[in-house]
Amino acid sequence: MDGRIKLLLLSLAIAGAVASSEESVEKEAKWVRRGRQMFTRLTSYVPRNRARYQLCEVDDTMGACLVDSVCRRERGLFAGYCGSGEEVCCVVDKSCDGYTRSHSSYFRNPSFPKNNTDEHMCPLTVEVGRGVCAVRLNFEEFELSPYTEGVCIGDHLTVLGTKEGSTTPVCGNMTGWTTTFAVKENSEVVLAMVLQGRPAHTFSIRVTQIGCDEVQVFHSPTYAGIRNPDAESYEPTTKKPNFVLVKPLGPTPKPGNKTTTPETTPSPDDTTEEMPKTTTLSSAHEGDDDSSGENQGDDDEGTATTIRPPVSEGPTTLMPGTIPSPKPSDVLIRAQKTDSEEEGVYLETIEATPAISAFKRAFELRVSDRCWQYENEVPSGFRVIGGGYTKINEFPWQVALVYRNKFFCGGSLISDRHILTAAHCVFGSFSAGIDRLRVSLGDHDLSTKNESNHIVGKVKHIHWNLHYNPHSTIHDIALMELEEPVTFRYGISAVKLPSDLDDLYEGENATVSGWGRYSVRLKATSPVLKSFTGPLMNISKCVEAWNKFPGISARSPNHVCLDVTMGTPCHGDSGGPLVMCSGTQCTQIGVVSFGFPMCTNVGLPAVFTRVSHYKSWIDMNLTPLDIA
């Protein structure tokens, strides 16, 4: 009996020990599971009410994190796993007549990476997912038939189904270009490619959907927009470059049709001499080949004038004028050709205005209405044309855009790697690619590199506004991304972007700066940075003033306007910043877009792209992708 009791007690003890051990193991497993859950929640937790559009990258190839069954449905290629979940890294590659629901895919020509010469339609339909607000197109490779006088008459790509409506067809060499545009969720976007086979074409476009919750609001860097009040004045120490002056703008006045011409006294530094016939440099949108992009142009007078830019900063009057009707070739400008290819020294200028655009049509207007002529004398004042030089690095965000060692537009630094400029400065340009596109930061005198400690950066991507149309005047805004970020210092820092998106800034004073034309009488751009401060106009009055020019109009709320009674930006100032300053704190409210082409006072305000109106567009384009 005692033996049985002992055996029973021993059995109970063993059972208790086993239960205790199992309970301990269960507790340990429970804590392990809880730890895993916490780790998963910290690394890949996604709320149930939010669509997930995570990306993955393998050897510079982008993929979408998809459930394996969805990847197979998309006929995607397995490239690994996305973390410890059930999703796989799926590379979706589509071509002509393709359809995809994937939030990341490639759209390529059928024989990619080889080119094709077939003549056919080649669309891709993208189903926009739930909770998606934007689609990004990265042109990793894109070479179609080139632009012809600023337009696509051969191969072209048109994007259909955007939230903003119609878009502009694109063609040519746009490798390295990027655009992000707003879409409606649960809709469709169609990339409609029209291919004519000659010349051969090749393209690889990465299409990425961006969720609404993923769009990040761009914030200006700390201490952005601080002007340097202690900047030093500048006196040129190097030999001033010579500039070639093409024949005067406007037709020869006929009897009974007098044209008012500004009468100015030449500066003591101005010298003239007889020269043989010269060539005029064609628009950047007409000749970007390796032969320097020059077209031969005949001068009816057979001579040209070489003029040195004056050093004087004295006030000059913005003279009244009438609207002339010059030939298109009369408005092409260039600096005297030199043999210098030294990076950081820019002695030549190319015209950035598109060959066929609203801006060029303005040159060809024939208006005899006397109400467009101001006969009263206008008070004198400082202006970019013949106006005051800025101090060295007074505006540390000002940048110069340079292509093949030729200056063509201005811009502003808004972060350590992004430049804000005008779309008309870049759209349809660079048919030889963006490899030789440069941004000069911290520069002051473009004709020398000794006056400031400036740097020259290469461009990695151009972000253009998909809805910009060179035949109109809206959506004239673009961004550039540098290959390497810059380190902020005294002479190089970012400008502040507006935080109040509802402020119209009417009646306030604003400052525009640039290296554009410095004289109505001359066609040369200024090698030294200049600025002009004037009052901002009521937008309704600005729109009314430009209503006389159908298709070339200011719009509200897309634009902000500057009174040009005392001064105006001119050719070469395009893309530059318009800032409002309170003490040393400056905010960029505009981008130089367009104005009266003759840069004289005919009652037409200078018009700038309103930065606050395009703040959401900037946010979308600068939002980084969510890569696992």
Side-chain angles (χ1 to χ4, degrees):
M1 187 70 177
D2 293 338
R4 293 180 179 179
I5 293 174
K6 290 181 180 179
L7 182 60
L8 178 60
L9 292 176
L10 180 61
S11 301
L12 292 174
I14 294 174
V18 171
S20 176
S21 176
E22 290 180 350
E23 182 179 357
S24 177
V25 171
E26 178 62 26
K27 286 183 178 180
E28 184 178 353
K30 181 178 181 181
W31 282 107
V32 170
R33 287 195 300 271
R34 182 175 298 179
R36 287 176 179 173
Q37 290 171 0
M38 291 176 63
F39 179 76
T40 303
R41 186 175 296 114
L42 289 172
T43 57
S44 59
Y45 173 74
V46 178
R48 291 186 178 183
N49 61 349
R50 175 180 177 269
R52 187 170 185 270
Y53 297 106
Q54 193 172 25
L55 306 173
C56 52
E57 189 173 21
V58 179
D59 297 332
D60 297 327
T61 298
M62 195 73 71
C65 291
L66 300 173
V67 176
D68 184 58
S69 59
V70 177
C71 182
R72 290 197 301 269
R73 183 194 66 197
E74 291 286 339
R75 297 183 180 179
L77 299 176
F78 172 82
Y81 291 93
C82 291
S84 58
E86 298 179 356
E87 294 178 336
V88 298
C89 183
C90 183
V91 178
V92 179
D93 196 345
K94 300 292 183 179
S95 191
C96 302
D97 300 312
Y99 182 93
T100 180
R101 297 178 182 175
S102 173
H103 57 272
S104 179
S105 61
Y106 286 90
F107 178 37
R108 291 166 168 164
N109 60 292
S111 300
F112 185 84
K114 297 180 179 179
N115 56 33
N116 285 97
T117 57
D118 299 334
E119 180 180 347
H120 61 286
M121 298 285 291
C122 184
L124 170 69
T125 302
V126 179
E127 182 179 312
V128 178
R130 175 175 60 87
V132 171
C133 284
V135 170
R136 178 169 299 173
L137 305 181
N138 292 84
F139 289 18
E140 295 187 347
E141 289 191 40
F142 190 91
E143 290 201 39
L144 306 183
S145 58
Y147 284 90
T148 302
E149 295 187 327
V151 295
C152 299
I153 63 174
D155 302 345
H156 62 269
L157 167 67
T158 303
V159 180
L160 308 175
T162 71
K163 190 175 182 179
E164 297 294 329
S166 61
T167 62
T168 302
V170 295
C171 56
N173 183 347
M174 297 185 69
T175 299
W177 290 60
T178 298
T179 186
T180 306
F181 52 92
V183 295
K184 297 179 180 178
E185 62 176 334
N186 299 321
S187 63
E188 286 187 349
V189 170
V190 179
L191 277 60
M193 191 82 72
V194 177
L195 303 169
Q196 300 190 18
R198 294 184 182 180
H201 53 266
T202 180
F203 58 88
S204 176
I205 305 172
R206 192 170 76 238
V207 185
T208 308
Q209 301 186 37
I210 301 176
C212 302
D213 295 337
E214 297 173 358
V215 177
Q216 299 181 12
V217 177
F218 173 79
H219 295 286
S220 298
T222 306
Y223 305 117
I226 303 298
R227 182 174 58 87
N228 293 323
D230 58 343
E232 298 180 1
S233 299
Y234 175 67
E235 289 294 336
T237 57
T238 58
K239 181 180 178 181
K240 295 183 288 293
N242 294 330
F243 291 88
V244 173
L245 170 65
V246 299
K247 62 183 181 179
L249 295 174
T252 302
K254 297 180 180 180
N257 185 20
K258 184 178 179 180
T259 301
T260 302
T261 304
E263 296 182 1
T264 57
T265 303
S267 166
D269 292 329
D270 288 355
T271 59
T272 60
E273 59 179 327
E274 293 289 326
M275 292 185 66
K277 289 186 177 181
T278 181
T279 59
T280 57
L281 188 65
S282 66
S283 165
H285 301 254
E286 293 181 281
D288 283 337
D289 54 25
D290 295 331
S291 62
S292 81
E294 294 185 1
N295 291 338
Q296 298 295 323
D298 294 331
D299 190 325
D300 294 339
E301 301 298 327
T303 60
T305 306
T306 301
I307 298 180
R308 299 178 188 276
V311 179
S312 173
E313 298 183 31
T316 53
T317 302
L318 183 60
M319 300 299 295
T322 56
I323 300 179
S325 55
K327 300 176 183 177
S329 60
D330 291 341
V331 302
L332 300 177
I333 60 175
R334 61 161 288 182
Q336 186 178 30
K337 185 172 179 60
T338 68
D339 294 328
S340 174
E341 288 293 329
E342 184 179 10
E343 193 166 79
V345 177
Y346 312 113
L347 303 182
E348 296 186 69
T349 302
I350 55 178
E351 178 61 60
T353 304
I356 300 296
S357 70
F359 305 101
K360 185 175 179 181
R361 290 201 306 273
F363 284 100
E364 301 168 349
L365 291 171
R366 297 176 180 271
V367 180
S368 58
D369 192 340
R370 296 289 295 177
C371 71
W372 290 96
Q373 180 173 337
Y374 279 38
E375 297 184 351
N376 297 327
E377 184 177 355
V378 181
S380 62
F382 286 103
R383 56 197 168 91
V384 175
I385 296 181
Y389 292 150
T390 67
K391 296 179 180 180
I392 300 177
N393 297 140
E394 181 179 359
F395 304 110
W397 48 82
Q398 180 80 42
V399 304
L401 305 185
V402 178
Y403 186 64
R404 291 180 169 177
N405 265 41
K406 298 178 180 67
F407 163 76
F408 67 93
C409 265
S412 57
L413 185 67
I414 63 171
S415 77
D416 63 348
R417 69 191 70 205
H418 294 107
I419 307 297
L420 182 63
T421 188
H424 80 262
C425 285
V426 296
F427 186 83
S429 300
F430 323 126
S431 62
I434 63 174
D435 292 342
R436 296 188 63 181
L437 179 60
R438 299 289 186 269
V439 177
S440 184
L441 305 100
D443 212 338
H444 184 71
D445 186 341
L446 299 180
S447 64
T448 179
K449 62 179 181 180
N450 299 322
E451 87 294 352
S452 66
N453 186 22
H454 70 276
I455 60 175
V456 178
K458 295 183 178 180
V459 175
K460 181 179 180 181
H461 294 299
I462 296 177
H463 299 254
W464 91 101
N465 192 307
L466 185 66
H467 297 91
Y468 167 72
N469 188 330
H471 295 273
S472 69
T473 53
I474 60 172
H475 310 311
D476 190 12
I477 190 169
L479 293 162
M480 291 182 176
E481 181 181 349
L482 301 175
E483 278 193 358
E484 299 291 339
V486 298
T487 301
F488 293 149
R489 57 188 189 218
Y490 176 81
I492 301 175
S493 62
V495 69
K496 184 177 183 295
L497 297 190
S499 55
D500 185 352
L501 305 185
D502 297 322
D503 194 340
L504 297 180
Y505 308 107
E506 295 176 350
E508 303 286 345
N509 285 332
T511 301
V512 59
S513 53
W515 289 275
R517 282 178 55 196
Y518 61 90
S519 171
V520 174
R521 185 167 54 88
L522 309 178
K523 307 305 176 290
T525 55
S526 171
V528 180
L529 184 65
K530 295 188 176 183
S531 66
F532 160 70
T533 300
L536 297 172
M537 283 190 61
N538 176 276
I539 185 62
S540 298
K541 293 182 179 179
C542 179
V543 171
E544 182 180 356
W546 277 97
N547 276 343
K548 189 145 187 170
F549 296 83
I552 312 174
S553 59
R555 295 191 183 185
S556 176
N558 303 73
H559 293 126
V560 60
C561 301
L562 185 70
D563 190 303
V564 298
T565 302
M566 304 293 289
T568 181
C570 198
H571 313 300
D573 292 320
S574 291
L578 176 72
V579 299
M580 277 184 53
C581 297
S582 177
T584 60
Q585 176 67 64
C586 300
T587 300
Q588 181 173 353
I589 63 172
V591 176
V592 179
S593 182
F594 68 96
F596 179 58
M598 302 299 108
C599 304
T600 54
N601 187 357
V602 294
L604 294 173
V607 185
F608 303 76
T609 302
R610 187 184 293 273
V611 175
S612 57
H613 180 72
Y614 291 93
K615 182 60 168 57
S616 60
W617 178 86
I618 294 174
D619 294 341
M620 285 191 305
N621 278 267
L622 298 189
T623 293
L625 298 178
D626 182 17
I627 303 177

